[in-house]
Amino acid sequence: MIVIADDITGAAEIAGIALSRGNHVRMVCGAVRFDHHAVQGTVVIATDTRSMSEAEAIAETRRIASAIRCQPSVIFKKTDSVLRGHVIAELQALMEATGCHRVVYLPANPSKGRIIRNGVYYMHATPIHETAFSYDPEYPAKTSVLRERFPDAEARGIIMPDAGSLEDIQRVVELYNDGKTIFAGAADLFSTMLNHRDNHGDNSPDMPQSGVDQENRPHDSEENRPHDSLILCGSTQSKALELGIPVAPMPREVYDGQQGADYWFSQLPSSLIRYPSSLILSIPYTHRTGKEVAVHLRMVMAEMTKRLVARHRPEQLVIEGGATAWATLQALGWTEFSIERQIAPGVVQMRAACGTLVTLKPGSYPWGSMFKQ
């Protein structure tokens, strides 16, 4: 199976699920040309199309589809579980590039309380437009009705079924798994597809952890304690972390666009710059929205990280938010990683070539018990 993810944390999440299921997993940033017949296990292609313009996302999707040269039945398109991104445009481009005439788009993640009922997307029984995602800086949720959010989807051959449980997702996979359909969606759909393939149509659904290796659950060990860690809370959906280590919130002047990384860096206490220590960078405001705001926030966070890592490379770099992760790793020049483990649903650890342990977490997922609080 070849997975094309629209952001790097989504790619890492899928790679972690495949790894925990015993699959051979290869993860690349961007596409390299290869024949799908030579692929063993799962190849995950990380992109940053969610942060691109729609035209750029379409062009990148077409480029990747051309590079991998594979049939629709081999592809899984990883999309955001809370509907962000150029979803329909990318799926249309993927259909055209592969000659496919149908896509099943299922962003529901019932294992995380995210379901679709009667065409309405709910998060723990609350319509998504009534949650904090209504003021997402780049893709604010103005409606919870999928046909209103994506009005031209069905006309383009994109099916958007309901799913209130893992059993519902399994029924969708069994119904449309004809070898000619591209499946697109969130982690629960991917995990169920692996289960379907591994068991040759077995009817038992995956466990709610979406493929998490039970032996790799977080535990109170030195590896999970935030010593010598740089933690980037790069999502405006971030919740405060009480870890007993310093927090450096983005100044209001920087958030509002009046200042940049130079100003933020100048506001840090000298003790945090001169000596190795753990530190949390956070964004404490949510009152601005728009593409330019989102780009500004992630680029400032990336530049701050580059400056801090130049002073002292931490043992662990923890990044929340896919766009922030992509910008930060690009700024650092870290492009190759070996996936080590999935420590919680959606939270994956990778080893950079320089030796730093990089932990990626989607911005819309909870921290869970990754850090003992």
Tab-separated table of all heavy atoms in Angstrom, residues 302-322:
chain	number	residue	atom	x	y	z
A	302	ALA	N	9.263	28.062	13.480
A	302	ALA	CA	10.374	27.340	12.863
A	302	ALA	C	11.690	28.096	13.049
A	302	ALA	O	12.733	27.505	13.360
A	302	ALA	CB	10.099	27.110	11.385
A	303	GLU	N	11.659	29.415	12.864
A	303	GLU	CA	12.872	30.216	13.025
A	303	GLU	C	13.350	30.222	14.475
A	303	GLU	O	14.557	30.143	14.747
A	303	GLU	CB	12.608	31.646	12.548
A	303	GLU	CG	13.796	32.588	12.672
A	303	GLU	CD	15.015	32.157	11.880
A	303	GLU	OE1	14.842	31.466	10.847
A	303	GLU	OE2	16.137	32.498	12.295
A	304	MET	N	12.419	30.289	15.419
A	304	MET	CA	12.789	30.214	16.832
A	304	MET	C	13.464	28.890	17.145
A	304	MET	O	14.480	28.826	17.858
A	304	MET	CB	11.547	30.391	17.709
A	304	MET	CG	11.129	31.820	17.903
A	304	MET	SD	12.295	32.755	18.935
A	304	MET	CE	12.053	31.938	20.526
A	305	THR	N	12.922	27.823	16.614
A	305	THR	CA	13.497	26.501	16.857
A	305	THR	C	14.899	26.403	16.269
A	305	THR	O	15.814	25.872	16.907
A	305	THR	CB	12.597	25.415	16.246
A	305	THR	OG1	11.281	25.545	16.771
A	305	THR	CG2	13.137	24.030	16.556
A	306	LYS	N	15.071	26.919	15.073
A	306	LYS	CA	16.382	26.891	14.431
A	306	LYS	C	17.416	27.619	15.284
A	306	LYS	O	18.553	27.144	15.454
A	306	LYS	CB	16.288	27.524	13.044
A	306	LYS	CG	17.590	27.501	12.256
A	306	LYS	CD	17.387	28.115	10.876
A	306	LYS	CE	18.697	28.109	10.074
A	306	LYS	NZ	18.494	28.706	8.735
A	307	ARG	N	17.037	28.751	15.839
A	307	ARG	CA	17.961	29.524	16.680
A	307	ARG	C	18.317	28.777	17.961
A	307	ARG	O	19.477	28.739	18.371
A	307	ARG	CB	17.346	30.873	17.028
A	307	ARG	CG	17.247	31.838	15.850
A	307	ARG	CD	16.430	33.067	16.211
A	307	ARG	NE	16.359	33.988	15.092
A	307	ARG	CZ	16.847	35.225	15.109
A	307	ARG	NH1	17.457	35.684	16.184
A	307	ARG	NH2	16.733	36.009	14.057
A	308	LEU	N	17.301	28.187	18.580
A	308	LEU	CA	17.544	27.475	19.834
A	308	LEU	C	18.375	26.220	19.611
A	308	LEU	O	19.280	25.916	20.398
A	308	LEU	CB	16.214	27.117	20.493
A	308	LEU	CG	15.415	28.302	21.040
A	308	LEU	CD1	13.999	27.881	21.405
A	308	LEU	CD2	16.111	28.902	22.266
A	309	VAL	N	18.084	25.483	18.553
A	309	VAL	CA	18.833	24.261	18.268
A	309	VAL	C	20.280	24.589	17.903
A	309	VAL	O	21.200	23.818	18.196
A	309	VAL	CB	18.143	23.456	17.146
A	309	VAL	CG1	19.021	22.294	16.671
A	309	VAL	CG2	16.800	22.915	17.635
A	310	ALA	N	20.512	25.748	17.270
A	310	ALA	CA	21.880	26.155	16.956
A	310	ALA	C	22.688	26.392	18.226
A	310	ALA	O	23.903	26.150	18.257
A	310	ALA	CB	21.861	27.422	16.100
A	311	ARG	N	22.018	26.853	19.288
A	311	ARG	CA	22.692	27.065	20.567
A	311	ARG	C	22.908	25.742	21.300
A	311	ARG	O	23.934	25.530	21.945
A	311	ARG	CB	21.862	28.001	21.451
A	311	ARG	CG	21.714	29.412	20.927
A	311	ARG	CD	23.030	30.163	20.916
A	311	ARG	NE	22.870	31.564	20.549
A	311	ARG	CZ	22.913	32.566	21.414
A	311	ARG	NH1	23.113	32.335	22.701
A	311	ARG	NH2	22.769	33.817	21.004
A	312	HIS	N	21.908	24.875	21.227
A	312	HIS	CA	22.003	23.590	21.919
A	312	HIS	C	21.005	22.622	21.294
A	312	HIS	O	19.806	22.853	21.337
A	312	HIS	CB	21.696	23.745	23.416
A	312	HIS	CG	21.528	22.429	24.115
A	312	HIS	ND1	22.590	21.587	24.353
A	312	HIS	CD2	20.427	21.801	24.602
A	312	HIS	CE1	22.151	20.503	24.977
A	312	HIS	NE2	20.843	20.604	25.130
A	313	ARG	N	21.538	21.540	20.712
A	313	ARG	CA	20.651	20.540	20.120
A	313	ARG	C	20.053	19.679	21.224
A	313	ARG	O	20.778	19.000	21.946
A	313	ARG	CB	21.409	19.654	19.126
A	313	ARG	CG	20.525	18.591	18.469
A	313	ARG	CD	21.268	17.844	17.368
A	313	ARG	NE	22.471	17.200	17.853
A	313	ARG	CZ	22.476	16.031	18.505
A	313	ARG	NH1	21.342	15.415	18.774
A	313	ARG	NH2	23.609	15.503	18.896
A	314	PRO	N	18.726	19.675	21.370
A	314	PRO	CA	18.103	18.926	22.460
A	314	PRO	C	18.111	17.425	22.193
A	314	PRO	O	18.231	16.979	21.047
A	314	PRO	CB	16.665	19.461	22.465
A	314	PRO	CG	16.421	19.851	21.049
A	314	PRO	CD	17.744	20.390	20.549
A	315	GLU	N	17.975	16.649	23.262
A	315	GLU	CA	17.857	15.203	23.109
A	315	GLU	C	16.551	14.849	22.420
A	315	GLU	O	16.473	13.875	21.673
A	315	GLU	CB	17.929	14.511	24.477
A	315	GLU	CG	19.275	14.616	25.161
A	315	GLU	CD	19.284	13.918	26.510
A	315	GLU	OE1	18.323	13.166	26.794
A	315	GLU	OE2	20.241	14.117	27.268
A	316	GLN	N	15.508	15.652	22.693
A	316	GLN	CA	14.210	15.382	22.110
A	316	GLN	C	13.564	16.677	21.624
A	316	GLN	O	13.570	17.686	22.324
A	316	GLN	CB	13.277	14.703	23.123
A	316	GLN	CG	11.902	14.370	22.553
A	316	GLN	CD	11.026	13.576	23.495
A	316	GLN	OE1	10.044	12.971	23.065
A	316	GLN	NE2	11.340	13.567	24.771
A	317	LEU	N	13.027	16.619	20.416
A	317	LEU	CA	12.262	17.723	19.854
A	317	LEU	C	10.839	17.229	19.653
A	317	LEU	O	10.595	16.278	18.911
A	317	LEU	CB	12.863	18.172	18.521
A	317	LEU	CG	12.102	19.262	17.731
A	317	LEU	CD1	12.031	20.547	18.531
A	317	LEU	CD2	12.758	19.500	16.373
A	318	VAL	N	9.889	17.865	20.337
A	318	VAL	CA	8.484	17.477	20.260
A	318	VAL	C	7.741	18.575	19.509
A	318	VAL	O	7.804	19.744	19.897
A	318	VAL	CB	7.871	17.284	21.662
A	318	VAL	CG1	6.412	16.853	21.553
A	318	VAL	CG2	8.673	16.265	22.465
A	319	ILE	N	7.046	18.207	18.430
A	319	ILE	CA	6.373	19.208	17.603
A	319	ILE	C	4.901	18.850	17.482
A	319	ILE	O	4.546	17.759	17.056
A	319	ILE	CB	6.986	19.299	16.197
A	319	ILE	CG1	8.518	19.383	16.263
A	319	ILE	CG2	6.428	20.514	15.461
A	319	ILE	CD1	9.187	19.388	14.901
A	320	GLU	N	4.049	19.811	17.834
A	320	GLU	CA	2.614	19.652	17.683
A	320	GLU	C	2.136	20.481	16.504
A	320	GLU	O	2.433	21.666	16.412
A	320	GLU	CB	1.901	20.108	18.967
A	320	GLU	CG	0.395	19.995	18.890
A	320	GLU	CD	-0.286	20.565	20.123
A	320	GLU	OE1	0.214	21.580	20.653
A	320	GLU	OE2	-1.310	20.004	20.543
A	321	GLY	N	1.405	19.829	15.589
A	321	GLY	CA	0.876	20.538	14.423
A	321	GLY	C	1.660	20.206	13.173
A	321	GLY	O	2.883	20.361	13.126
A	322	GLY	N	0.957	19.707	12.138
A	322	GLY	CA	1.634	19.253	10.934
A	322	GLY	C	2.345	20.352	10.170
A	322	GLY	O	3.487	20.182	9.740
